[in-house]
């Protein structure tokens, strides 16, 4: 009995997801954009620097997606007569959930896109997300000997590997603003996003101290939906 109930439940969930997806003719989107990245590291005087990204997303339904994100930028900071620059590469796999998932939208997504007003369409595409990935450091640094001594007194040290690869957890909040609306949903979207990346290693600035480093990335981008229904 329990086995039958489990199979029935799984089948119903699969049918529901399939029904929603069938109303959305563009299950894959690609995007690119740019912005500024800033570090939260031991050298606390932050210098916001240029960064850019490319990404691809697969829509499980119109409001839940999984995707790949690649990023290149520069983190820079100074203080204590010292400075660093990290021309990093990063990549991650992530998932996002949009507010539309909880707004009781019509099952017929095509009908919804034609009937909803501009505010509702934008609000339904506000999202939060998280993922997992890697960052590759390319660090250059100039550290004052007195600061090295101060770090050592606090139990820290200078990192030996300035090209280290380590695990990161990106957290995202943002909005997709759709335009180019068609019968089957928007063709384009402007993306505004803030990504806060948590690292598992205190080495974005070449200095290892007590707390793991973090960085933020504010970006503006453009998305294009692929595979239009014929």
């Amino acid at each position: 009995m329990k086995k039958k109930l489990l199979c029935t439940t799984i089948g119903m969930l699969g049918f529901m997801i399939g029904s929603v997806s069938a109303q959305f003719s563009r299950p894959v989107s690609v995007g690119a954009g740019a912005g500024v990245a800033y570090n939260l590291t031991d050298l606390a005087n932050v210098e916001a620097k240029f960064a850019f990204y490319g990404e691809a997303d697969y829509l499980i339904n119109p409001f839940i997606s999984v995707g790949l994100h690649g990023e290149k930028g520069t983190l820079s900071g100074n203080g204590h007569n010292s400075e660093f620059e990290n021309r990093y590469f990063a990549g991650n796999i992530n998932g996002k959930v949009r507010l539309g998932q909880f707004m009781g939208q019509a099952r017929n997504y095509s009908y919804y896109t034609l009937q909803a007003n501009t505010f509702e369409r934008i609000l339904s595409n506000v999202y939060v997300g998280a993922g997992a990935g890697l960052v590759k450091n390319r660090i250059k640094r100039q550290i004052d000997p007195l600061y090295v001594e101060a770090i050592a007194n606090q139990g820290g040290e200078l990192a030996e590997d300035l090209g280290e690869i380590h695990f990161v957890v990106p957290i995202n909040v943002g909005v997709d603003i759709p335009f180019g609306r068609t019968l089957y949903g928007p063709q384009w979207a402007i993306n505004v996003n803030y990504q806060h990346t948590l690292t598992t290693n205190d080495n974005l600035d070449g200095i290892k101290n007590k707390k793991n480093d973090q960085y933020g990335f504010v970006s503006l981008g453009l998305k294009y939906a692929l595979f239009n229904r014929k």
Side-chain angles (χ1 to χ4, degrees):
M1 182 66 181
K2 290 183 178 180
K3 187 175 181 180
K4 285 185 176 181
L5 182 60
L6 178 61
C7 291
T8 301
T9 302
I10 293 173
M12 289 180 65
L13 288 172
F15 176 76
M16 289 171 67
I17 292 174
S19 297
V20 175
S21 298
Q23 304 302 327
F24 196 68
S25 66
R26 300 179 176 89
V28 177
S29 68
V30 293
V36 293
Y38 65 92
N39 58 287
L40 299 169
T41 63
D42 297 284
L43 294 177
N45 295 330
V46 175
E47 300 174 7
K49 294 289 187 177
F50 177 78
F52 64 93
Y53 73 90
E55 64 182 10
D57 288 310
Y58 175 77
L59 290 164
I60 297 174
N61 69 36
F63 303 109
I64 298 177
S65 64
V66 294
L68 297 172
H69 173 97
E71 181 185 327
K72 185 178 187 301
T74 302
L75 300 173
S76 181
N78 62 80
H80 307 285
N81 295 317
S82 304
E83 61 183 9
F84 85 97
E85 183 179 80
N86 183 356
R87 297 187 177 184
Y88 71 94
F89 298 90
N92 66 69
I93 182 170
N94 61 79
K96 298 183 180 75
V97 179
R98 293 158 179 80
L99 281 181
Q101 182 69 20
F102 311 102
M103 291 173 63
Q105 309 292 7
R107 287 176 62 83
N108 189 321
Y109 182 72
S110 301
Y111 178 80
Y112 163 71
T113 62
L114 292 173
Q115 295 296 316
N117 60 44
T118 300
F119 176 76
E120 287 178 330
R121 289 199 302 273
I122 293 175
L123 184 62
S124 70
N125 283 287
V126 174
Y127 62 81
V128 294
L134 298 172
V135 63
K136 164 69 173 175
N137 291 331
R138 295 175 61 195
I139 301 172
K140 294 181 179 179
R141 68 188 179 195
Q142 293 181 346
I143 308 299
D144 187 276
L146 293 177
Y147 185 47
V148 174
E149 184 178 344
I151 293 170
N153 291 336
Q154 297 172 9
E157 62 182 357
L158 294 184
E160 295 181 2
D161 188 352
L162 301 183
E164 186 176 25
I165 299 174
H166 53 93
F167 182 76
V168 294
V169 176
I171 300 170
N172 291 278
V173 59
V175 60
D176 293 323
I177 303 173
F179 65 97
R181 189 160 50 120
T182 70
L183 177 62
Y184 300 113
Q187 181 80 62
W188 297 86
I190 295 171
N191 176 253
V192 181
N193 186 78
Y194 173 68
Q195 176 182 279
H196 192 86
T197 300
L198 307 173
T199 75
T200 56
N201 192 320
D202 183 21
N203 188 21
L204 286 178
D205 56 0
I207 300 169
K208 292 190 174 183
N209 214 333
K210 295 180 180 180
K211 295 181 180 180
N212 288 341
D213 292 332
Q214 306 174 29
Y215 75 91
F217 177 31
V218 182
S219 64
L220 178 67
L222 188 66
K223 289 185 173 182
Y224 179 76
L226 302 177
F227 308 125
N228 196 4
R229 183 188 293 175
K230 301 298 184 182

